[in-house]
Amino acid sequence: MSSVSTSTPGVLKQNFRFRCIACGDLSDVASQDFRCGQCGDLLEIAYPTWNEKTPDAAKLKSAWQTRRLSSSPVDLSGVWRYRDLLPALDDEQQVITLREGNTPLYELPRCARITGVQHLFAKHQGMNPTGSFKDAGMTVAATFARCAGFRWVACASTGNTSASMAAYAARGGMRGLVLVPEGKISWSKLSQALDYGAVTCQLRTDFDGCLKLLQELVRKAPVYQLNSINPFRLEGQKTLAIELLEQLDWQVPDHIIVPGGNLGNSSAIGKALLEMRELELISRLPKLSVIQAEGANALVRTLREAGGKRLVSVPAETRATAIRIGNPASWKKAAHVLEATGGACEQVTELEIAHAKAEIGAEGIGCEPASAVTLAGLKKLVKQGFVKAEETVVLVLTGNLLKDPDFTIDFHRGVMFGGGPDSAALDSLRHPPIVLDATLDAVMRTLERFN
Ligand code: F0G
C-alpha cells in the first residue's frame, strides 16, 4: 500500500503530523486508509510546531480580517483564509478552491419564538458552492491529494460528499470515483456528481456497505479516499467554527448544535473549538451537541448503552437520507468532543424533522432534512432544561433546501404523514401548490381565500 506523506512533492515537511486518536502514535506519513500503523484506529492532524511557537491570537484575528480585502484565491476562500490553523502548503498556487466557506450567519427570529430561546442563529453551510458543508473539507483534502500526486480520488457517500468531491476533482484535474447506495440518495445530489464528471457507481447496499468497500479499495489501488476518515477533510471543516466565531465578534455562543451522520463534522467543529481555546482565540467553550435521526441513532445509543466505550451500530432508516448511517466512522472523535465541551446527544423522529424543516423554510432560508434535525433537537434540549431561554444558540445547517426537493414536495402536498393522526399539527405549515384554470377570476378568488 502506498502512503500519504507530509513530505510529498510540493508540500513542505513542516507544520503538522498525523496522530492516532487511540494510542497517540505520531507519524509523518499516513497509509491510504488513514488508519494508525500501530493500532488501526483513526488519525488526526496535530500541530507540534504550536508548542514551540504559539500563534498570537490578536495577530491571527487581524490577519484574517485583512485578508478579506485581498483578491487572491487563497484569501477569497473562506477556508484558506484561516490557513494559519491548517496544514501548510509550500505554494499557495496549488490550492483547489471554489471560494468555499464565506457562509452566512442568519438570525432565526420565528424559530427563536417557537423554541423559546432569545438568541437563535443558523450558520448556513448549505450556501457553499456545491450546496453543503462538505466543500470546506474538500478544498483542503483535494488539494493535498493533488499535491501527493494522485490521479484518482474516491468517496462513499449519502450524496453530498460525492457532489462536492466530484466538483473539486474536476476543478483540480483529477478523476473522481463515487460509490453511493442505489436508490437511497436524492436525485439532486446524484445529478451533481454526474454533471461534474465523476465515475458514479450506485451500489446495491447502504452507505455503510459503500464505505467498507472503499476502505478495501484504497488498500489495493492508487486511489485517494476523500471520506471524512481523511483527516485533511476535518481540518477544512474546522473553519466553519472559526468563521462563526469571527462573525459573532468572538463572543462565544452558549450552544452549537449539529446533525450527526458519519460524525466527521461534529468532530471537526469540536477540534476547532478546542484549538481556538488552546490558542486563546476564545476563553471558554460553547457546548457542542449532536442530533441524530431516531432511525439512525448510533451515537445516541453508543453513549446511552455503552457509555461511549464501544460503538453500538444500528440498521439505519430515515428520510433524512444524508444521515442514513448506522456505523459512523468518527464516533470516537465525536464522543470525545461532546465530552470535552459538555454537549448533549439527542434523537428526533421523522415527524419532528419534517416539522422543523418547514419552520426553517418559513424563515425564508430553508435547508435539507438532515439539517433540520438541529432545530428539532433544540426543542427537546430546551424542554429538558439543557438549553436556557437567555442563552445564545447556533444551529449548523449543513445542506441547501434544493438538495432534496422530493422531501419538500411530498411534505407540502401532504404525501408525507398525510391524513395520519399527526397530520393536523403539520397542516398549518403545509403550502401545497394549487392547480387552477388560467383565468383572472380563479387567481383573484385564490387571493381572497388566503387573505
Ligand atoms: N448533513 C448533511 C446535509 C450531510 O450530507 C451529512 C453527511 C451530515 C449532515 C452528517 O455529517 O457525516 O459529518 O456527521 N453526509 C455524508 C455524505 C455522509 O456522504 O454526504 P457527518
Side-chain angles (χ1 to χ4, degrees):
M1 198 193 328
S2 57
S3 60
V4 182
S5 165
T6 59
S7 54
T8 41
V11 184
L12 280 178
K13 183 167 173 8
Q14 33 21 2
N15 77 335
F16 69 96
R17 301 189 79 191
F18 297 100
R19 180 172 57 206
C20 172
I21 62 164
C23 73
D25 185 58
L26 281 167
S27 169
D28 285 338
V29 292
S31 56
Q32 260 168 259
D33 62 0
F34 290 110
R35 292 202 172 261
C36 173
Q38 304 301 319
C39 73
D41 218 317
L42 293 186
L43 301 178
E44 64 181 356
I45 303 267
Y47 298 93
T49 51
W50 291 358
N51 298 333
E52 294 144 29
K53 189 172 178 302
T54 312
D56 180 275
K59 281 192 186 140
L60 286 176
K61 287 179 186 176
S62 143
W64 295 337
Q65 275 298 314
T66 309
R67 286 175 194 163
R68 285 182 181 272
L69 304 171
S70 151
S71 57
S72 89
V74 276
D75 291 336
L76 287 169
S77 163
V79 170
W80 292 101
R81 183 182 306 133
Y82 307 103
R83 55 192 172 274
D84 314 79
L85 306 193
L86 298 179
L89 294 162
D90 64 347
D91 177 3
E92 292 175 352
Q93 304 294 322
Q94 293 162 332
V95 162
I96 306 169
T97 174
L98 287 162
R99 300 194 187 176
E100 52 290 317
N102 300 309
T103 56
L105 182 68
Y106 295 121
E107 279 190 63
L108 296 178
R110 291 170 62 144
C111 293
R113 273 197 301 281
I114 292 166
T115 49
V117 296
Q118 282 162 22
H119 309 289
L120 182 60
F121 295 90
K123 176 71 174 154
H124 207 327
Q125 293 298 97
M127 300 301 180
N128 266 294
T130 76
S132 85
F133 71 99
K134 306 287 182 180
D135 297 341
M138 209 54 78
T139 181
V140 176
T143 295
F144 275 86
R146 192 169 64 173
C147 287
F150 282 90
R151 217 167 74 76
W152 278 92
V153 291
C155 70
S157 182
T158 55
N160 281 324
T161 299
S162 54
S164 182
M165 187 202 75
Y168 283 84
R171 296 297 294 176
M174 294 178 286
R175 301 300 313 275
L177 173 72
V178 160
L179 306 180
V180 291
E182 190 206 8
K184 290 167 190 151
I185 76 165
S186 93
W187 287 114
S188 296
K189 298 173 189 178
L190 191 69
S191 72
Q192 288 181 286
L194 302 181
D195 220 36
Y196 302 141
V199 175
T200 303
C201 306
Q202 297 180 278
L203 303 187
R204 293 186 199 95
T205 179
D206 55 11
F207 168 81
D208 301 296
C210 292
L211 187 58
K212 192 160 167 275
L213 210 144
L214 179 72
Q215 293 271 290
E216 287 166 25
L217 178 74
V218 296
R219 291 189 194 112
K220 296 262 154 62
V223 169
Y224 187 89
Q225 72 150 317
L226 284 176
N227 275 94
S228 56
I229 289 172
N230 180 323
F232 292 108
R233 278 269 314 276
L234 300 199
E235 291 307 292
Q237 286 172 215
K238 282 189 329 192
T239 59
L240 177 168
I242 307 172
E243 189 178 68
L244 166 66
L245 263 298
E246 199 180 35
Q247 285 166 320
L248 290 172
D249 242 340
W250 299 100
Q251 300 298 308
V252 180
D254 299 293
H255 296 273
I256 299 177
I257 302 182
V258 63
N262 213 21
L263 299 173
N265 206 28
S266 39
S267 304
I269 296 169
K271 187 171 190 278
L273 296 173
L274 294 168
E275 289 178 357
M276 282 195 283
R277 191 184 55 173
E278 183 192 332
L279 299 176
E280 296 178 1
L281 287 156
I282 53 175
S283 56
R284 67 181 179 94
L285 293 171
K287 293 189 172 81
L288 178 67
S289 294
V290 173
I291 314 296
Q292 297 196 296
E294 211 170 72
N297 60 354
L299 185 65
V300 175
R301 293 190 54 183
T302 293
L303 297 177
R304 289 183 191 169
E305 294 167 25
K309 297 282 181 280
R310 65 175 168 84
L311 175 66
V312 179
S313 313
V314 298
E317 192 49 79
T318 170
R319 268 206 74 164
T321 52
I323 51 173
R324 193 174 183 281
I325 295 171
N327 199 20
S330 294
W331 68 274
K332 264 191 204 167
K333 290 185 180 180
H336 167 67
V337 296
L338 282 193
E339 198 187 341
T341 67
C345 185
E346 256 307 335
Q347 58 187 346
V348 291
T349 64
E350 297 294 292
L351 189 77
E352 288 165 338
I353 295 171
H355 203 136
K357 184 176 126 46
E359 286 166 342
I360 295 167
E363 292 262 19
I365 292 174
C367 63
E368 69 165 286
S371 309
V373 300
T374 54
L375 179 63
L378 171 62
K379 292 180 193 173
K380 285 200 154 169
L381 296 179
V382 170
K383 272 206 190 97
Q384 292 163 4
F386 183 77
V387 175
K388 317 256 177 329
E390 67 283 2
E391 290 184 316
T392 301
V393 182
V394 179
L395 308 179
V396 178
L397 302 184
T398 44
N400 196 285
L401 168 73
L402 299 175
K403 284 285 194 173
D404 194 348
D406 286 350
F407 185 105
T408 308
I409 290 170
D410 283 356
F411 174 81
H412 286 289
R413 286 185 150 163
V415 174
M416 199 188 290
F417 312 116
D422 302 311
S423 186
L426 297 178
D427 280 347
S428 64
L429 286 163
R430 292 193 212 273
H431 310 289
I434 303 158
V435 180
L436 296 174
D437 287 332
T439 65
L440 182 60
D441 184 49
V443 177
M444 292 285 284
R445 269 190 285 124
T446 305
L447 246 188
E448 276 157 27
R449 186 152 69 88
F450 284 90
N451 218 340

